[in-house]
Amino acid sequence: MRSPAIRRAGEADLDELALMLTGLSDLSLYFRFQAGVGRPPRPALLLRMLCPSGASWVATRDDAVVGHAMWAWAVGSPGTAELAAVISDPEQHRGLGVRMLAIAAADAIASGATHFLFVVSSANDASLRMIRRRWPDATVERDGSLLMFHAPARVPSQSVSQARSMAATSTSAAAAVS
């Protein structure tokens, strides 16, 4: 099976992103949002995901959205970009989330990010392992059931050149469309 295609996201992806989020398990929705998002999700939430203060991407397979990743400037923390991703249940645990986060990380760095923030449920073992493996120098603070990882901005080591190349390609493609 071929890997999903990853491209810059925009408002035109609203319906497909809503469809993907609606199809997620309750646990996957909770791990990404730590709150109820509704089924279907509110358009205001979808627009914040597709048009953040940073940038966003979707992964597609056969024209259906199967993943979303984004970065946004963290409020009150100059130079800090918050990274987040959500992957459809059938596509999880295949490396797509890491690929998408690597692209988002490279783009955030190119935009001036010096640090990353990850907000993760303390019950989300897969995401916790991924962050600790790829950003081992991250510090962590607990806020109830949430863990906030603060890490120096860098692309995950095994995907550096691929992520930078993909971020540059998606930036060039987005500029050509504008």
Side-chain angles (χ1 to χ4, degrees), residues 149-161:
F149 289 86
H150 301 269
R154 64 175 180 70
V155 177
S157 59
Q158 64 185 168
S159 305
V160 174
S161 61

Side-chain angles (χ1 to χ4, degrees), residues 13-146:
D13 296 305
L14 192 136
D15 291 338
E16 282 298 317
L17 181 59
L19 190 61
M20 184 200 87
L21 294 176
T22 299
L24 286 176
S25 66
D26 290 339
L27 186 60
S28 290
L29 276 173
Y30 175 75
F31 280 164
R32 171 57 180 91
F33 300 102
Q34 288 90 40
V37 297
R39 290 184 200 250
R42 296 174 318 282
L45 170 70
L46 297 169
L47 287 173
R48 281 195 309 269
M49 292 176 71
L50 294 169
C51 304
S53 61
S56 68
W57 293 263
V58 291
T60 60
R61 182 184 299 285
D62 301 323
D63 297 323
V65 170
V66 297
H68 174 269
M70 62 180 277
W71 72 269
W73 293 113
V75 177
S77 295
T80 300
E82 182 175 351
L83 298 177
V86 61
I87 307 300
S88 68
D89 291 324
E91 297 288 338
Q92 291 178 13
H93 309 292
R94 297 181 181 182
L96 178 59
V98 172
R99 275 181 55 211
M100 294 188 79
L101 284 173
I103 292 167
D107 190 75
I109 291 167
S111 296
T114 57
H115 291 85
F116 291 150
L117 170 65
F118 301 92
V119 180
V120 183
S121 166
S122 61
N124 190 341
D125 292 331
S127 290
L128 295 173
R129 281 191 309 272
M130 184 274 303
I131 292 167
R132 287 183 174 128
R133 185 177 315 124
R134 289 173 173 78
W135 286 276
D137 49 354
T139 60
V140 64
E141 298 173 32
R142 180 179 283 274
D143 182 6
S145 65
L146 297 178

